[in-house]
Amino acid sequence: MIEPVTFLLPAFLVAVCLVGIHVYFGIEVLTREVIFVDLALAQIAALGATVAFMLGHPPQGPATYGYSLGFTLAAAVLLAFTRGWATRVPQEALIGVIYVVAAAAAILLIDRAPQGAEHLKQILTGNILTSGWNEIAVVVPLYAAVGLLHWLLRRQLARSGILWEFVFYASFGVVVTSSVAIAGVLLVFSFLIVPAAIGVMFASSLPRQLVIGWVTGTVTSAAGLAVSFAFDLPTGAAMVCAFGLALAVAGLLYPFLHGNRNNALRVAIATVRWCAAVLLAGAALQLAVAPRADQPLLDTLETAFPSLRALYFNRSEAVTWAEAGETAERYRIEAERLNDLEMRNRSQGEALDDFSIGRMSSFLKSYGEMRKGEQFVMGEVRARARERIRWGASLTLLVLALLCAPLAWSRLRTGLPRRR
Amino acid sequence: MALLPGLVAACISLASPGLSQDRIQVVTTTTDLRSLTEAVGGDRVAAVSLAPANMDAEDYQPRPQDVLRLKNARLMVRVGLDYDLWADRLLAQAGKPEISRGGPGYVDASFAIAVLELRGMSVGPGDGHAHGSGNPHYWLDPKNAEIVTGSILEALARIDPENALRYEANRRAFLERLRARLAEWESKLAPLRAMPMVAFHNRWPYFARRFRLDFIGFIETKPGVPPGPAHLAGIVRTMQVRGARIVVREPQEPQRDVAFVARSAGASVVTLAASVGALPNTDDYIALFDANVAALTLAAGVQ
């Protein structure tokens, strides 16, 4: 299993670099309550790049970077001032307005030059998987410089004042502009907020918050990358979901680590039981009211354990179901065989003429239709079987729901005679 | 002598500005169909493409003026095969039965095309394109231009019968030119036969079939969804095993992902235009293939 490691290593190292700087900024952003400032700054930087593009500069050139930086610095000035205004209107509202207006302005500009749309998309949706040593060579010195600056100015930055606010937003803007191009808006937001939130949750001093954030951020990134490789999922999206899961786990662990453990356990068990009861009761209601509609719970269970169908299909239904399934699969295989044949013929052997190709595509069309027909039969058989058993099955599900619900059965039983 | 009628016509059209307004207003969904419509209609038509050349026509978002363009048009030519579904909404808004489905001025250019990669809506997740009605990039086979121009000719003759013979002559002249060029393109690309290649998006099956090229994989399997790492690693491995040295990319496709695959597999990137006008020097249908054939032969190192 050496190959996945060598394939994912550059992306992992990039993630570690991004986590390193973003956890620090995340903690700052959480204390300043400007959660979405990274989105606004990234969008402003993209607007700057779009303007440069419109003026005829190449997308990756220094001029484009200059325009991005200029726009980001201007936004930093604006953000530094809005800190002072934010007495009656929260600063977050102004950040939102900056984001929306920058996005809309970019759309207006792009309307003039359509190829700019792809360009703008590329600025805002990086792909961490295809990043590598080139990116690391750029971000390591940049982030080290920003980190050093913040460490040297840590006293001044803690104080308020328009100049120090500007320094904060400007350096943050420089960081976000580079990281969004590498990892995309969604993943950068996760890097920024999730590990920092976990750190703030479990520690109160900055060094401990940083360490917790770095460790959870690195571990979560590694887990997200591994899952994305194992199941061949889009890497950025898989990592964002991994970060969401990490925050959920941290939230669940919090009451166990801080506070009354027994109480936390009791609440957790009651919550799980209530969830199960609501799920079962919902499934019972759905089956009773609309037996032909989708049954999310039953469908999931049936997909996981196909033998469940034997519980409620009668003999002829089971036979029809199995036959239709086999026929549908046969049509699929036949269609794939034809497609394969055509594909190989493009470059191998004697070329097929248009007439043969036309015949093939009419066969393919028929196979598709016939397969859909078989699938309709399968759906109909199942819907009828479910209609037949709907009352009994709903009642069973309802009883199960009542059993799962953490109701005080014992009190109910002792309460009855007293009332009599 | 043969030039004389043309010259006279040119003088008349220059002298009387009214004539240019007489031209039949045609709306096409893509630049490729605009070029083919101009090849048949000649100076009798004024064709305009709704989707610009340098973006994916599939993702085009109609503008308010597009409805106006359709309202003024007498002929509407579209790609069909679920490629330009946005045109349906525009046609409904324009509310002109003559250029809507079934009207005399409506051309679905996919009519009578031998469609490739037809997978019923539900036939497996499959590789490549999410099109239930087959791969829609049929204009990339120059032979299909014969069928498409045939459909356009039929519609033009229907709405402007006086000039039917002129359209027919235009089409015949264009096809003659195209056939001569096709033979040349085929001989130029002959050394690339069965040379394994990878493309970013599955846009080239018709092109591959005509010129006998072998696309062994695609970087993006589902439009708009970034490829997963196992898929990318698999592509790179296949390229190394099969010795693929070319990755085909279009100008609007992400540079970095393509460069990453090419770098990992030791291949070079060649940028091709899938539509007229997407690259410089691809201003009409024939120039499109000229440019693509030149770029491919250059990348493959054959002259």
Side-chain angles (χ1 to χ4, degrees):
Chain A
M1 287 307 279
I2 194 74
E3 208 207 342
V5 173
T6 50
F7 194 77
L8 295 178
L9 188 65
F12 175 69
L13 292 180
V14 170
V16 170
C17 293
L18 294 185
V19 164
I21 195 86
H22 283 89
V23 170
Y24 163 71
F25 273 111
I27 293 167
E28 288 294 317
V29 156
L30 285 177
T31 36
R32 283 162 206 249
E33 295 181 341
V34 288
I35 314 299
F36 293 106
V37 76
D38 68 316
L39 297 185
L41 285 170
Q43 196 67 49
I44 285 281
L47 178 65
T50 311
V51 170
F53 187 77
M54 301 288 304
L55 295 175
H57 298 291
Q60 263 87 26
T64 306
Y65 190 75
Y67 272 96
S68 273
L69 194 63
F71 271 68
T72 312
L73 293 183
V77 172
L78 206 62
L79 285 166
F81 274 107
T82 54
R83 189 82 177 151
W85 307 339
T87 45
R88 305 194 65 158
V89 180
Q91 200 183 5
E92 198 75 342
L94 301 168
I95 288 170
V97 171
I98 291 178
Y99 169 76
V100 171
V101 171
I107 291 173
L108 286 185
L109 285 178
I110 272 167
D111 197 49
R112 306 271 119 223
Q115 71 274 42
E118 281 307 320
H119 173 57
L120 185 69
K121 212 163 81 186
Q122 282 179 40
I123 299 173
L124 293 173
T125 58
N127 187 354
I128 195 165
L129 184 61
T130 53
S131 60
W133 305 110
N134 294 344
E135 280 77 16
I136 293 177
V138 174
V139 296
V140 166
L142 179 70
Y143 293 175
V146 170
L148 190 66
L149 180 77
H150 275 246
W151 190 73
L152 292 175
L153 295 176
R154 61 193 183 282
R155 295 248 159 70
Q156 288 87 331
L157 282 168
R159 272 184 261 133
S160 59
I162 284 178
L163 177 65
W164 304 118
E165 288 290 324
F166 169 75
V167 170
F168 173 77
Y169 286 118
S171 52
F172 186 38
V174 169
V175 166
V176 163
T177 307
S178 64
S179 61
V180 161
I182 293 171
V185 170
L186 298 183
L187 190 52
V188 166
F189 186 78
S190 309
F191 282 147
L192 184 71
I193 299 299
V194 173
I198 295 174
V200 169
M201 207 188 275
F202 289 101
S204 43
S205 71
L206 183 63
R208 295 185 68 179
Q209 289 173 346
L210 276 175
V211 170
I212 294 175
W214 283 332
V215 171
T216 50
T218 308
V219 170
T220 311
S221 299
L225 277 168
V227 166
S228 125
F229 192 89
F231 299 98
D232 200 15
L233 302 169
T235 307
M239 286 175 81
V240 170
C241 289
F243 272 103
L245 205 65
L247 188 60
V249 168
L252 287 176
L253 280 181
Y254 183 77
F256 289 94
L257 297 176
H258 292 252
N260 187 338
R261 232 161 270 188
N262 289 334
N263 197 27
L265 193 66
R266 238 191 357 263
V267 170
I269 290 173
T271 312
V272 170
R273 288 181 64 180
W274 270 120
C275 288
V278 168
L279 216 62
L280 286 166
L285 196 69
Q286 168 83 335
L287 186 62
V289 173
R292 298 187 74 97
D294 286 358
Q295 310 287 340
L297 185 67
L298 295 187
D299 290 350
T300 316
L301 284 175
E302 273 191 30
T303 318
F305 312 101
S307 52
L308 272 179
R309 276 182 213 115
L311 285 180
Y312 68 100
F313 275 21
N314 64 29
R315 227 187 122 66
S316 76
E317 280 164 354
V319 170
T320 318
W321 169 279
E323 274 179 5
E326 276 164 30
T327 322
E329 181 59 14
R330 209 167 54 231
Y331 288 140
R332 191 188 66 80
I333 291 168
E334 201 59 26
E336 284 308 299
R337 199 183 59 81
L338 270 185
N339 267 324
D340 267 4
L341 186 74
E342 185 275 319
M343 198 135 116
R344 265 181 286 120
N345 179 258
R346 277 177 212 161
S347 59
Q348 297 167 17
E350 191 82 356
L352 292 168
D353 58 4
D354 280 4
F355 181 72
S356 320
I357 294 287
R359 241 172 49 139
M360 257 185 191
S361 63
S362 80
F363 264 111
L364 284 172
K365 209 173 253 179
S366 321
Y367 284 141
E369 289 300 317
M370 291 196 286
R371 180 154 183 265
K372 244 184 281 177
E374 298 297 336
Q375 283 168 339
F376 174 78
V377 168
M378 291 167 81
E380 186 63 23
V381 164
R382 191 167 73 172
R384 284 189 191 170
R386 281 181 180 171
E387 258 176 340
R388 190 159 42 75
I389 56 140
R390 72 161 134 172
W391 300 117
S394 325
L395 208 65
T396 318
L397 284 170
L398 212 56
V399 170
L400 279 177
L402 282 175
L403 286 178
C404 278
L407 296 171
W409 297 111
S410 50
R411 206 179 303 158
L412 210 65
R413 215 179 313 144
T414 50
L416 280 176
R418 225 175 284 159
R419 208 178 290 163
R420 208 177 264 168
Chain B
M1 281 305 277
L3 276 176
L4 206 59
L7 270 178
V8 172
C11 290
I12 292 173
S13 70
L14 277 178
S16 57
L19 209 71
S20 70
Q21 281 163 13
D22 278 358
R23 296 210 268 171
I24 296 176
Q25 304 289 322
V26 184
V27 168
T28 66
T29 53
T30 64
T31 48
D32 312 284
L33 293 178
R34 185 193 65 206
S35 181
L36 290 176
T37 306
E38 281 166 351
V40 179
D43 51 7
R44 285 287 308 142
V45 300
V48 52
S49 160
L50 295 183
N54 31 26
M55 73 175 288
D56 205 343
E58 233 170 330
D59 301 332
Y60 176 67
Q61 303 209 334
R63 312 275 143 87
Q65 288 100 321
D66 290 346
V67 180
L68 211 67
R69 291 195 184 106
L70 278 176
K71 278 195 170 145
N72 295 328
R74 289 179 63 197
L75 182 66
M76 156 79 182
V77 189
R78 70 184 296 183
V79 175
L81 296 183
D82 295 356
Y83 184 70
D84 41 17
L85 283 173
W86 43 266
D88 284 318
R89 243 181 10 247
L90 274 180
L91 283 169
Q93 255 177 310
K96 272 185 74 171
E98 309 92 77
I99 57 162
S100 298
R101 202 179 290 273
Y106 175 87
V107 177
D108 183 336
S110 70
F111 178 74
I113 296 279
V115 178
L116 298 184
E117 298 182 348
L118 220 140
R119 295 184 158 86
M121 294 301 250
S122 45
V123 180
D127 248 10
H129 227 273
H131 291 283
S133 33
N135 194 303
H137 308 98
Y138 56 83
W139 66 88
L140 289 168
D141 177 354
K143 274 256 184 205
N144 280 341
E146 297 186 13
I147 303 172
V148 173
T149 50
S151 305
I152 293 171
L153 168 68
E154 203 187 324
L156 277 175
R158 209 158 40 217
I159 55 177
D160 184 20
E162 299 100 88
N163 289 303
L165 286 176
R166 224 163 117 183
Y167 298 136
E168 211 178 325
N170 284 346
R171 174 178 180 243
R172 207 175 308 130
F174 170 72
L175 290 184
E176 233 161 73
R177 219 149 54 87
L178 186 67
R179 274 186 206 125
R181 306 290 299 152
L182 176 59
E184 199 178 308
W185 297 328
E186 278 179 323
S187 72
K188 271 190 180 162
L189 287 180
L192 275 76
R193 179 167 175 182
M195 186 183 279
M197 284 189 260
V198 163
F200 182 76
H201 188 75
N202 183 12
R203 221 181 294 262
W204 306 94
Y206 297 89
F207 190 79
R209 178 178 166 240
R210 182 56 56 210
F211 297 109
R212 317 236 57 197
L213 307 174
D214 191 8
F215 283 93
I216 56 172
F218 308 101
I219 296 174
E220 186 187 72
T221 51
K222 294 183 188 78
V225 183
H231 172 72
L232 275 191
I235 284 270
V236 170
R237 203 178 318 115
T238 319
M239 285 177 73
Q240 284 164 343
V241 169
R242 303 271 313 264
R245 291 185 306 146
I246 295 179
V247 181
V248 171
R249 158 185 180 267
E250 285 165 61
Q252 81 275 13
E253 287 169 351
Q255 228 155 1
R256 232 182 40 184
D257 293 11
V258 175
F260 173 79
V261 169
R263 199 172 55 230
S264 310
S268 56
V269 178
V270 54
T271 306
L272 299 187
S275 275
V276 168
L279 282 177
N281 306 325
T282 57
D283 296 330
D284 66 33
Y285 190 74
I286 287 177
L288 170 72
F289 288 94
D290 275 337
N292 285 344
V293 168
L296 266 179
T297 47
L298 189 70
V302 290
Q303 290 302 321

